[in-house]
Amino acid sequence: MTIDFTDTADLVAPQLLGCLVTHNGVTVRLTEVEAYLGKDDPAAHTYKGPTARNAAMFGPPGRFYVYFSYGIHHNGNIVCAPEGTGQGCLLRGGEVVAGEDLARQRRQRPERALIPHENLARGPGNLGQALGLQLSDNGTPVQLTAREAEPEWVRGTRIGITKNADAPLRFWVPGDRTVSTPRGRR
């Protein structure tokens, strides 16, 4: 299966589920993503057009858009739709399937209890940290391995945002423990 990243983000998003993203020595099987639809989506960083911060989202599809969230996390998106459109898919959650020691080194703090395997890349900030994403990754090609088979998936409203929150643009593998909570919100 080959994903056509020039398709709109809402079409690309469910195709990402089950795919493997490899970056900086860690591979994550994607279990949760959210689509952001540019100028038609008030929740998108690109809603009001290009800026220095979001420029990568207007670049070639199939590349990273990385942003610093809440001053602590580097979140990653895959740019979608034709160049200049400003659409992308936020990588919300996944399972570390290779490079667990490195992911744990990036995530684990000595003063905290051992992070369970299913939490290493659960949530966009944790996933970005596990992959070692940095702002310098903006615009770089995403290394994606196609899934072996399409997993069962569901679609529902996005979480963690206030604008256009009711849009059914969050996609996830039901019952997977690496999916952000609330898992059943549709």
Side-chain angles (χ1 to χ4, degrees):
M1 175 194 101
T2 301
I3 296 175
D4 182 358
F5 287 105
T6 62
D7 281 339
T8 58
D10 58 327
L11 295 178
V12 171
Q15 295 177 59
L16 292 171
L17 297 173
C19 290
L20 304 177
V21 174
T22 301
H23 190 72
N24 286 335
V26 173
T27 300
V28 172
R29 178 183 56 84
L30 296 174
T31 59
E32 180 184 13
V33 295
E34 283 179 358
Y36 287 87
L37 302 176
K39 65 180 176 62
D40 298 322
D41 183 355
H45 288 185
T46 55
Y47 179 65
K48 294 182 179 179
T51 65
R53 178 186 186 213
N54 70 20
M57 281 281 275
F58 290 93
R63 295 174 182 260
F64 276 117
Y65 162 56
V66 179
Y67 64 95
F68 201 43
S69 177
Y70 301 113
I72 54 174
H73 297 295
H74 288 97
N75 293 349
N77 293 254
I78 299 177
V79 177
C80 301
E83 192 167 347
T85 306
Q87 294 190 24
C89 293
L90 173 64
L91 307 179
R92 280 204 57 85
E95 178 188 12
V96 175
V97 296
E100 181 173 343
D101 290 344
L102 186 53
R104 191 168 295 285
Q105 180 182 345
R106 292 174 178 151
R107 294 263 357 268
Q108 190 69 54
R109 299 293 172 259
E111 68 278 5
R112 292 187 183 161
L114 185 68
I115 297 171
H117 176 78
E118 65 268 13
N119 291 350
L120 284 173
R122 185 169 126 199
N126 294 335
L127 191 152
Q129 192 174 16
L131 290 174
L133 290 176
Q134 298 294 319
L135 294 178
S136 59
D137 293 315
N138 258 330
T140 62
V142 174
Q143 185 181 342
L144 191 75
T145 303
R147 60 193 182 195
E148 293 180 11
E150 180 177 6
E152 176 186 354
W153 57 271
V154 293
R155 175 183 191 150
T157 56
R158 296 181 288 202
I159 58 175
I161 60 171
T162 55
K163 296 177 183 173
N164 205 19
D166 292 332
L169 295 172
R170 179 174 164 239
F171 303 83
W172 70 94
V173 176
D176 195 297
R177 296 187 50 78
T178 64
V179 172
S180 304
T181 54
R183 292 184 184 96
R185 184 170 175 222
R186 291 187 192 187

